[in-house]
Structure formats: structure tokens, C-alpha cells
């Protein structure tokens, strides 16, 4: 008997409180279900039931088309489409014509502030609406900053280094034409996202405001001393776990900053008291695909207890 | 070049201290073979330092004996102690290669010739530590095998100062 389900149908799991959309018919009894908008699960057809059209209409669910529509007549590059919607707001749509799955986040500079617009995953050959701007926000939008990680589709390779760039919407918009966007099939503006934006080199992007408590204003020092007395004014009341966490937070922040600013290496002085901090730093650095290699710091130059992360 | 050679002299003293520290770690664990291995390592590093000391004076320089940083005193495990040792030797190798490059850049053929012994010595040092590390990885949690390795390392004797085997 043929598989009773079709691609695009909404289904409900029998043994758990979960719903999803059929993405692929893998075999007579196996389905690939998209759950929670980002998780692909292989499930048996016996473990799900179709949510009938009547139930969809009554519940007011969205239509049964796939959450990540396939694209035909693709734009050649990864692109951002900005399309006006029925409420006179603007939908932001990321278009992925490539062969890799990707993880992305996007921030928009609206007037002087940096605002998170959206984040998510996107399968190859798909597009996805990841954000919406009001009319006021759209007209105050200066640029959009993307961070994208590409994962090879077969899952065997490491993700490539983070792809970062800034799209200067305000500069490009006056020259852009609103037209039917191929693949997405909506009217709007289409901006190809090239590795090197016209006005900004990714390695030199400076973010002056972030939706976190900290601002990044420049690269970290080449030598970062993680001794707790260098990080806090007093250790009174701080237990060992808290001290350790403060040191690790500083380490992570400086490592991210070094990579973001294109530094070739960064040295962490962790000391020789116990091996916990050194071990954890080494473990993190060795797992991080952005780090080329890890070396012991020259004790004559940095004192004992230093580790060098080679980034370039 | 004198500054670089002085730095290397201090580095060799640091190496000796580091290996004494590791030797003490193993003494506390009562792994006397491993402790002996690093005691001999420490003695050889002192010999290296004195080679540097003598050479600097032979070429008309002066040794500035500086403060030597205190080495690591705690180690997570037997393997971790050897990993620290290997990473340290890799750092020493980089430093020695840098001295050779500087000597070539300055046309200092005497230093270049002198350092060749250290270049060769570092190949052997890294290979020795790597060999023991591979054995420790194979040993895993097998205590009998660990003690056999301990006995093997207990037989290590220091090399004479002239670098020739006994």
C-alpha cells in the first residue's frame, strides 16, 4: 500500500504533543516531518495522523503549504527579499539557493539602535520569512547585519567559518526596483548577498550597539589576563564556581572579538594554580572550528600558564 | 642576538624547573619510574642551559641571569603531565627555530652552527615524549600496563654533559 501522506500535509504525533508538516516521503512507511519550524524528524507513518482540512480551518491554522517553500527560477545568489505585506508592513525573506543548510541571525540598524530582526535555520533551495518591519521601521532602516553558518547537507563536514556581512539597505534602496521576485513570487526588492558588500568589508564591521548589555567597540587585547583580580574589583562573596564562570565569560568574549576583528592570534593567561581553567580553555579551543591551532604560551614572554590560540 | 640567546638560556632553566615539578607530581603518586624520567629530563635541561651559558661567553657575550617564571605544579592526570611536557617542548622547538632564523638573518654563522645541535635535540625530545604519550593512550585504565611503563622509565639514566651515550 502506498504511503497515505502527501508533502505539505500537517500531521499530529500520536505519542506526543507535537505537530509538524510532511517534508518528504522517504519510503512506504517513513516520513520526514518538519517540527517547530526547524527540526527535521524521520518518523514512521504509523506514529502520526493527518490534521484534516476542516480542523485546520476551524483552528485558524496557516495553510498547508510547506513552511520552507521550494524555490524555482532561483536568484543566483543568497539574497534578501523585502516585500510589502497585506498589513502595509514589510516582510524580510532570506533566499537560500545553495546546496547547504544554514543557520542565520539578522540584526537591523534602525535609526541609531541595533535591533534583532530574526534568526533561524534554512534548508537548501528554500526561502524563509524571518522578520517583519513596520512601515516606520522600514523607512528608518539603515542596514542589516547577517551572521550565517553553512552546514554541508550530508552532515559529514564541519560548518564553514561564520559568514558575516552588512547590507547597506539605505544606500542601495534608491537604486533598487520593486518587481516580482522570482521563486518567492511576490513583489518587492531583491538584494543579492555577496561575500563582500559594496560598502563594507565583513572583517571591519563595527557594531556600536547590540541587544545585549555589552558593546563591542574594538578588538580585544592580544594578551588577555584571565586572573580574577584582573577582571573584578573584589572577589569578596564570589565562590569558586562564580569566579570560574567570570573567567570563562571573559575568555569567550575575547575569543569571539578576536575572530570578529580578524586577529591572527590571541593569548590567554590562565595561570598555573589549578588546571581547571586551562583544561576548559583548551577543550573549547580544540573544538572550535574557527581556531586553527592551540599552543602553549612561551613562559619567558607571558609567564607560566599561558595558551595561544592561532586564528589565522 | 645576545638578548635572544639569554632568553633561550632562561627558557632552558624554566624547562628544568618544569620537569622537576612534574617529577615531584609523580613522586607523590609513587610512580617512581615516571618521576625518574622527569628528573633525568630536568638534569638534561640544566645541561642544555649550561651549553648556552658557555656559548654566550665564548662568543664574547654576557649572561644576564633573570627571574625564571614558576612552572605549573598541579596536573590533572599522568597523561596530562606528559601533554604539558609535549606542549612545552613544542614551544621550545619554535623558539629554537626562531633563533636559527634570526642567526641567518644577522649572518651569525657561529650561532647558526651552535643551534643545529639543539634543533636535532628537539626532534628527539618531542619524539620521546610523543612515544610515551602514545603508549599511555594505549594503556588507558590498565594499571598493570601503567606499572610496566613505569618500570621501563625507571631504567632511564641521564646523558653525560658531552651528549654522548654512556
Amino acid at each position: 500500500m502506498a504511503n497515505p501522506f502527501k508533502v505539505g500535509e500537517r500531521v499530529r504525533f500520536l505519542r506526543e504533543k507535537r505537530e509538524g508538516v510532511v517534508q518528504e516521503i522517504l519510503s512506504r512507511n517513513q516520513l520526514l516531518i518538519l517540527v517547530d519550524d526547524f527540526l527535521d524528524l524521520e518518523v514512521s507513518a504509523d506514529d502520526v495522523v493527518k490534521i484534516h482540512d476542516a480542523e485546520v480551518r476551524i483552528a485558524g491554522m496557516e495553510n498547508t503549504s510547506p513552511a520552507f517553500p521550494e524555490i524555482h527560477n532561483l536568484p543566483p545568489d543568497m539574497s534578501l527579499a523585502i516585500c510589502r505585506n497585506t498589513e502595509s508592513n514589510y516582510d524580510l525573506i532570506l533566499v537560500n539557493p545553495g546546496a547547504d543548510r544554514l543557520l542565520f541571525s539578522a540584526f537591523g540598524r534602525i535609526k541609531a539602535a541595533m535591533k534583532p530582526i530574526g534568526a533561524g535555520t534554512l534548508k537548501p533551495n528554500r526561502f524563509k520569512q524571518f522578520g517583519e518591519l513596520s512601515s516606520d521601521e522600514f523607512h528608518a532602516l539603515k542596514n542589516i547585519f547577517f551572521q550565517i553558518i553553512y552546514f554541508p547537507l550530508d552532515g559529514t563536514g564541519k560548518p564553514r567559518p561564520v559568514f558575516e556581512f552588512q547590507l547597506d539597505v539605505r544606500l542601495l534602496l534608491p537604486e533598487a526596483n520593486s518587481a516580482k521576485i522570482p521563486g518567492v513570487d511576490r513583489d518587492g526588492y531583491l538584494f543579492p548577498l555577496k561575500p563582500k558588500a559594496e560598502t563594507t568589508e565583513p572583517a571591519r564591521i563595527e557594531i556600536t550597539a547590540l541587544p545585549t548589555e555589552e558593546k563591542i567597540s574594538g578588538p580585544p587585547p592580544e594578551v588577555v589576563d584571565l586572573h580574577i583580580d584582573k577582571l573584578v574589583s573584589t572577589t569578596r562573596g564570589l565562590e569558586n564556581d562564580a569566579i570560574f564562570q567570570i573567567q570563562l565569560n571573559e575568555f569567550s568574549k575575547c575569543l569571539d572579538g578576536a575572530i570578529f576583528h580578524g586577529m591572527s592570534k590571541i593569548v590567554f593567561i590562565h595561570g598555573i594554580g589549578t588546571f581547571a581553567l586551562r583544561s576548559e580553555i583548551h577543550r573549547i579551543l580544540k573544538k572550535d572550528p574557527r581556531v586553527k591551532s592551540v599552543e602553549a604560551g612561551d613562559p619567558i614572554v607571558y609567564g607560566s600558564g599561558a595558551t595561544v590560540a592561532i586564528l589565522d | 642576538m645576545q638578548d635572544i640567546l639569554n632568553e633561550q638560556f632562561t627558557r632552558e632553566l624554566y624547562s628544568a624547573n618544569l620537569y622537576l615539578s612534574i617529577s615531584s607530581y609523580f613522586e607523590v603518586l609513587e610512580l617512581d619510574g615516571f618521576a625518574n624520567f622527569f628528573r633525568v629530563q630536568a638534569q638534561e635541561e640544566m645541561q642544555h642551559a649550561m651549553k648556552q651559558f658557555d656559548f654566550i661567553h665564548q662568543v664574547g657575550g654576557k649572561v644576564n641571569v633573570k627571574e625564571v617564571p614558576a612552572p605549573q605544579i598541579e596536573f590533572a592526570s599522568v597523561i596530562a603531565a606528559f601533554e604539558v611536557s609535549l606542549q612545552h617542548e613544542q614551544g621550545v622547538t619554535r623558539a629554537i627555530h626562531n633563533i636559527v632564523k634570526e642567526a641567518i638573518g644577522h649572518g651569525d654563522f657561529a650561532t647558526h652552527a651552535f643551534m643545529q645541535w639543539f634543533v636535532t635535540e628537539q626532534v628527539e625530545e618531542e619524539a620521546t615524549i610523543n612515544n610515551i604519550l602514545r603508549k599511555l593512550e594505549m594503556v588507558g585504565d590498565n594499571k598493570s600496563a601503567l606499572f610496566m611503563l613505569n618500570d621501563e622509565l625507571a631504567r632511564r639514566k641521564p646523558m653525560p654533559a658531552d651528549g654522548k651515550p654512556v
Side-chain angles (χ1 to χ4, degrees):
Chain A
M1 188 174 105
N3 195 303
F5 294 92
K6 291 187 188 131
V7 171
E9 285 182 336
R10 287 197 73 89
V11 297
R12 181 173 294 124
F13 286 67
L14 289 173
R15 293 194 181 81
E16 51 188 304
K17 203 173 176 183
R18 199 176 243 191
E19 295 174 0
V21 177
V22 177
Q23 296 296 291
E24 261 183 74
I25 310 297
L26 298 174
S27 68
R28 194 158 59 90
N29 201 42
Q30 284 290 109
L31 305 169
L32 188 70
I33 307 287
L34 179 71
V35 177
D36 297 336
D37 267 0
F38 71 94
L39 184 64
D40 281 331
L41 294 178
E42 283 189 28
V43 301
S44 165
D46 296 331
D47 289 336
V48 294
V49 291
K50 181 183 165 184
I51 298 175
H52 283 275
D53 294 339
E55 187 179 345
V56 170
R57 284 196 294 274
I58 290 166
M61 289 180 200
E62 60 189 52
N63 65 45
T64 56
S65 49
F68 302 122
E70 276 206 28
I71 316 172
H72 303 283
N73 304 319
L74 297 166
D77 303 305
M78 172 82 87
S79 307
L80 169 71
I82 302 181
C83 304
R84 196 133 189 198
N85 62 28
T86 51
E87 280 106 43
S88 297
N89 292 335
Y90 291 84
D91 291 333
L92 298 168
I93 299 169
L94 191 64
V95 179
N96 176 24
D100 294 335
R101 183 190 292 263
L102 52 93
L103 182 69
F104 69 93
S105 64
F107 297 89
R109 191 194 300 270
I110 296 174
K111 293 182 185 172
M114 209 64 158
K115 176 189 165 177
I117 294 180
T121 60
L122 190 49
K123 289 166 72 172
N125 194 36
R126 298 286 194 274
F127 65 87
K128 181 179 185 180
Q129 184 200 332
F130 64 91
E132 185 180 0
L133 296 176
S134 69
S135 184
D136 286 345
E137 286 173 329
F138 174 70
H139 289 105
L141 178 68
K142 291 190 176 154
N143 44 43
I144 300 179
F145 176 67
F146 287 92
Q147 285 185 312
I148 300 174
I149 302 175
Y150 292 90
F151 291 84
L153 184 61
D154 60 11
T156 57
K158 284 186 191 175
R160 292 202 278 279
V162 176
F163 169 43
E164 298 176 327
F165 70 94
Q166 181 172 294
L167 184 73
D168 290 321
V169 174
R170 199 48 47 194
L171 287 178
L172 297 170
L173 204 53
E175 304 296 324
N177 294 316
S178 178
K180 188 99 168 174
I181 298 172
V184 178
D185 289 334
R186 287 175 65 176
D187 286 336
Y189 303 99
L190 187 68
F191 301 100
L193 304 181
K194 295 188 189 299
K196 193 168 178 173
E198 283 182 20
T199 56
T200 311
E201 286 188 16
R204 284 169 175 69
I205 291 171
E206 280 197 30
I207 302 175
T208 56
L210 279 176
T212 62
E213 293 175 8
E214 295 186 79
K215 295 183 182 183
I216 300 173
S217 57
E222 196 178 279
V223 181
V224 178
D225 193 335
L226 295 175
H227 286 96
I228 193 64
D229 57 332
K230 299 282 191 266
L231 304 180
V232 297
S233 54
T234 176
T235 55
R236 192 188 300 173
L238 284 178
E239 297 189 356
N240 287 343
D241 285 349
I243 290 174
F244 189 63
Q245 199 53 56
I246 291 170
Q247 291 170 312
L248 277 185
N249 287 349
E250 183 70 15
F251 158 74
S252 293
K253 186 185 81 174
C254 290
L255 178 64
D256 287 344
I259 291 165
F260 182 74
H261 287 280
M263 291 169 65
S264 60
K265 69 174 186 183
I266 183 165
V267 181
F268 295 101
I269 297 177
H270 41 73
I272 54 171
T274 68
F275 41 78
L277 183 59
R278 177 189 180 278
S279 297
E280 185 62 10
I281 285 173
H282 275 239
R283 187 189 69 80
I284 294 171
L285 288 174
K286 283 172 183 170
K287 278 181 63 173
D288 193 327
R290 304 170 300 172
V291 175
K292 191 176 169 189
S293 63
V294 181
E295 295 173 357
D298 189 339
I300 305 308
V301 176
Y302 303 114
S304 291
T307 295
V308 184
I310 306 295
L311 307 174
D312 189 356
Chain B
M1 287 304 299
Q2 178 172 285
D3 289 343
I4 294 175
L5 288 170
N6 263 295
E7 242 183 42
Q8 184 58 25
F9 169 72
T10 309
R11 198 172 282 113
E12 301 287 356
L13 292 180
Y14 173 86
S15 300
N17 286 351
L18 174 64
Y19 291 140
L20 282 176
S21 183
I22 298 178
S23 179
S24 177
Y25 165 75
F26 284 117
E27 289 282 3
V28 169
L29 290 180
E30 298 192 16
L31 288 169
D32 50 354
F34 289 108
N36 175 63
F37 176 84
F38 281 104
R39 182 195 291 257
V40 169
Q41 280 292 104
Q43 289 170 345
E44 290 188 359
E45 295 299 339
M46 276 306 299
Q47 289 172 1
H48 296 171
M50 294 318 294
K51 270 186 188 289
Q52 302 270 349
F53 183 90
D54 290 338
F55 175 75
I56 291 170
H57 290 114
Q58 281 168 2
V59 294
K62 182 185 181 304
V63 170
N64 297 319
V65 183
K66 291 185 177 171
E67 185 180 355
V68 180
Q72 187 170 338
I73 55 174
E74 298 274 356
F75 303 92
S77 63
V78 171
I79 281 192
F82 277 90
E83 282 173 348
V84 166
S85 168
L86 178 62
Q87 285 174 2
H88 175 71
E89 288 299 334
Q90 287 168 340
V92 171
T93 301
R94 283 191 294 274
I96 286 170
H97 290 181
N98 192 50
I99 295 173
V100 171
K101 278 186 213 166
E102 288 291 322
I104 292 170
H106 283 88
D108 185 344
F109 300 115
T111 301
H112 180 259
F114 172 71
M115 292 306 294
Q116 293 310 305
W117 185 87
F118 287 90
V119 171
T120 309
E121 179 71 7
Q122 282 308 115
V123 173
E124 189 189 314
E125 296 277 14
E126 286 192 39
T128 301
I129 304 284
N130 249 322
N131 180 271
I132 299 171
L133 258 175
R134 298 290 84 81
K135 287 178 180 169
L136 283 169
E137 283 162 9
M138 284 190 280
V139 160
D141 291 332
N142 187 326
K143 297 238 182 331
S144 302
L146 185 70
F147 282 116
M148 282 176 63
L149 187 54
N150 182 65
D151 282 348
E152 181 185 320
L153 295 180
R155 290 193 283 275
R156 187 185 184 201
K157 288 186 174 23
M159 290 283 265
D162 61 7
K164 294 181 187 145
V166 173

